[in-house]
Each structure stands twice: as C-alpha cells, then as structure tokens.
Amino acid sequence: MIDDRADTTWDRALDDLFLRIGHRFARADLRRRMRDYVHALLGPVGRKNGWQLAEYAGHRTPDGLQRLLNGATWDADDVRDDLQAYVAEKLGEDGGVLILDDTGFVKKGTTSAGVHRQYSGTAGRTEIPQRGCPQPDRRLRRLRHHPRQVPGGPRTVFPGGADPQPKSWTDDRQRCRAAKIPDERAFATKGELAKTMVVRALASPLPIAWVTADSAYGQEWRFRRLLEEIAVGYVLAVPKSQQVPRFGRIDHLFTQAPQEAWERRSCGDGAKGPRVYHWAAVQLPAIEDLDGDQPTHQRWALARRSISRPDEIAYYLGY
C-alpha cells in the first residue's frame, strides 16, 4: 500500500528525475506540464485519457497536456537517453538482462498510427491493435530470484523502442501524413527493429550481460548473428521448425535425446511456487568469428518440457 511517506518519497524521486531532464524543455511551463503528466500516469487514475489525467494533475482542462504532447518542441530521444542514465544509476547491476517483448494497444477505428487487424496477445483474440515493438514497459531485470522491473506508463518506451508500421500504412503515405508519421518512416521487420534497439541499448550506460526474446525475434538469424559478432550472450526462443546446423529441425534433435538427457530444474519462483520443468541441452558446432579469432561463447540448443504435459516443449537457441 502507498502511504503518505511512500507518496512523499515518490515525489522526491520524480523531482530528482526532472532535475535531469528539465533542460530538454525550453520553457518552465512545459517542464511543469511534463512533470504533471508523468505524475498522473503513475497515479491511481482509472482511465488515463486527457481529461482524467488533467483532473488528477489539478488542471481545469486537458488543453495544456495536449499541447505538450501534440505541439511542443522537445526531443523524445534525448529524454529517453536521460532516463536510461537515471535507471542505470538507480537500478543497474552487473548481469542485467535485456528483454525484447512487444505488445499491442487495442484501438477502435482505423486512424490511430499503425493500427492493423491482427492477433493481439493483450486482448487474447484478433483485434485492431496499435503495436509497440519492443514492448512499452521496457524492463531491465536483475539476475535474482525476484526480478525487479522498471515500470513505464502508457506509450512510454524504455530503453528505446519503436512503433513498427505495417505495409498497409507505409505504402499509403497520405494515411501516414494524416497520422503524423514522418515520410522517412519505412517498413521494417521486428528483427530489423530489434537490431537497431539492441545496438542502441548496448551503447547506453545500462549494464546488459545478455539478451532474451520470444521466437518472433529468436528465429531471425541475422539478429542472432549480430549478437554473436559483438560477443553478447543470448537465450532466444525459436519455433519447433527452427533449423539447427548439422542437426536439422530443433524438435527432431530433441526427439532423439535419451531420457537421461532431461534434467528436472526450476526456472525460478512464480505466483504458485517454483516453476519446475524438464530441461535438455545440446552443444552446437562453433562458428568462427569473422576476424578469425576463436569464439568467446559456446552455442547451444535448449529444450524445456512440461512435467505434467510432456508433449508441450519449448525450444531455444543460446550463445
């Protein structure tokens, strides 16, 4: 529960943060509005629309917050970099994990930037979501039994995400201009966006030891190769049809594994206690680095099998 003391602590922490990023806003009124906006996003507001956020912040109308978001001049990338430095200082620890995870924001209508009819994990069905890639609520998790998350509000992308625009949008420049999407924004796959954001995150002060992501990113061999070339470890989910050099499909590889190859291990505590699975791993042939040096990591194929439902197996490639 957030009591008065905790509320005061949050206020002081926000003041500390805004001392760092305030210079990104040219005028004092913009700095005040940005602080009010972030404070309202973090507050107990039922629906975080313009009117309710403004009311929580003590404004008579949402006009000021809307001008801040729609018309004021400030560089979101600079603010993102300041936020990264703040998070690295306050929460950063050696062994941090960079997690790539996109999400969808369910929308009504067809005018919000990037909306496209597709399956939405947020809604659990086919909807018209606006997708953030990787996921807003970017998380820098600690390698501990109880990972700590860095919270973000709606449309807050950390540590530097992007809004991927489907071809139905990028091929229609008039529609893009109506939604304020710059003309230079072109179509990019999830893997291409992930490469750009990972390189940016690795160049930041964030202490990143390795990278993990679901199969939408893990199946992209160019993304895996990028991480190998810069000697960053990864554990990436892949589909069961993933081809493994010299072994063929990854599911066929583990079908041939003897029973003693599977070990019972926990991958940490969940809401209902330890999350225990059967695990098996196979070391894969090394690929020499492009400059001829010996590789600094080993390559692995990994499988996680449900104990109660042994036909449910998830597959991963590791480095």
Side-chain angles (χ1 to χ4, degrees):
M1 179 178 293
I2 298 179
D3 54 20
D4 291 342
R5 182 178 179 182
D7 193 43
T8 301
T9 301
W10 270 97
D11 282 341
R12 289 175 180 172
L14 276 178
D15 288 339
D16 181 23
L17 174 60
F18 275 91
L19 283 175
R20 297 179 180 228
I21 68 173
H23 67 286
R24 302 297 185 185
F25 303 90
R27 303 197 312 269
D29 61 320
L30 295 181
R31 293 192 286 272
R32 288 194 297 269
R33 287 171 187 168
M34 178 55 76
R35 190 193 186 287
D36 289 346
Y37 178 66
V38 173
H39 192 270
L41 286 177
L42 295 174
V45 181
R47 295 184 60 196
K48 291 181 169 57
N49 56 39
W51 277 102
Q52 293 200 21
L53 291 174
E55 181 180 0
Y56 182 83
H59 298 193
R60 289 193 303 109
T61 71
D63 295 350
L65 297 184
Q66 289 174 350
R67 282 195 297 271
L68 168 71
L69 299 177
N70 297 329
T73 300
W74 52 278
D75 194 315
D77 289 345
D78 288 341
V79 174
R80 176 203 62 213
D81 292 343
D82 291 340
L83 178 60
Q84 285 182 340
Y86 177 83
V87 169
E89 177 185 324
K90 299 295 184 180
L91 298 177
E93 288 185 351
D94 292 338
V97 184
L98 181 63
I99 304 171
L100 301 178
D101 183 22
D102 61 85
T103 192
F105 313 89
V106 177
K107 296 286 185 177
K108 301 297 182 183
T110 60
T111 58
S112 296
V115 294
H116 180 69
R117 189 167 184 80
Q118 57 188 300
Y119 178 80
S120 169
T122 303
R125 60 184 181 273
T126 299
E127 272 284 359
I128 309 178
Q130 182 183 53
R131 189 164 294 280
C133 173
Q135 199 244 25
D137 268 359
R138 190 64 41 238
R139 293 162 290 182
L140 178 66
R141 290 189 174 180
R142 299 182 178 193
L143 285 178
R144 287 188 172 178
H145 294 298
H146 300 286
R148 187 172 181 177
Q149 296 186 7
V150 180
R155 308 302 301 137
T156 302
V157 181
F158 170 80
D163 294 322
Q165 307 302 333
K167 286 187 176 181
S168 60
W169 276 79
T170 56
D171 290 345
D172 188 343
R173 301 318 306 181
Q174 184 175 354
R175 187 184 188 191
C176 286
R177 293 187 186 107
K180 308 297 184 182
I181 298 174
D183 287 342
E184 61 269 20
R185 180 68 60 84
F187 173 77
T189 66
K190 283 187 178 182
E192 292 167 341
L193 291 171
K195 287 168 61 179
T196 299
M197 286 181 277
V198 165
V199 169
R200 182 191 299 149
L202 292 172
S204 76
L206 297 171
I208 298 167
W210 54 285
V211 177
T212 189
D214 63 23
S215 60
Y217 304 99
Q219 65 184 339
E220 291 267 358
W221 71 268
R222 292 182 181 85
F223 176 53
R224 299 196 306 269
R225 185 57 184 160
L226 168 71
L227 296 174
E228 293 174 7
E229 288 174 352
I230 56 181
V232 174
Y234 62 72
V235 178
L236 302 172
V238 294
K240 64 181 182 181
S241 59
Q242 179 70 45
Q243 293 294 315
V244 178
R246 303 187 192 178
F247 290 104
R249 285 173 53 125
I250 194 170
D251 58 343
H252 294 170
L253 169 61
F254 285 100
T255 298
Q256 304 169 30
Q259 186 56 40
E260 57 268 24
W262 295 89
E263 298 183 13
R264 185 185 179 102
R265 292 178 178 266
S266 171
C267 59
D269 291 340
K272 299 181 180 179
R275 296 173 294 161
V276 179
Y277 296 89
H278 282 143
W279 297 82
V282 178
Q283 187 172 346
L284 302 177
I287 296 179
E288 291 188 1
D289 293 346
L290 295 180
D291 58 6
D293 293 338
Q294 290 297 314
T296 57
H297 296 63
Q298 295 175 335
R299 300 170 70 247
W300 295 84
L302 183 68
R304 185 195 70 191
R305 187 177 69 187
S306 169
I307 293 176
S308 59
R309 300 178 180 177
D311 57 329
E312 294 184 3
I313 305 177
Y315 301 98
Y316 307 85
L317 291 177
Y319 180 71

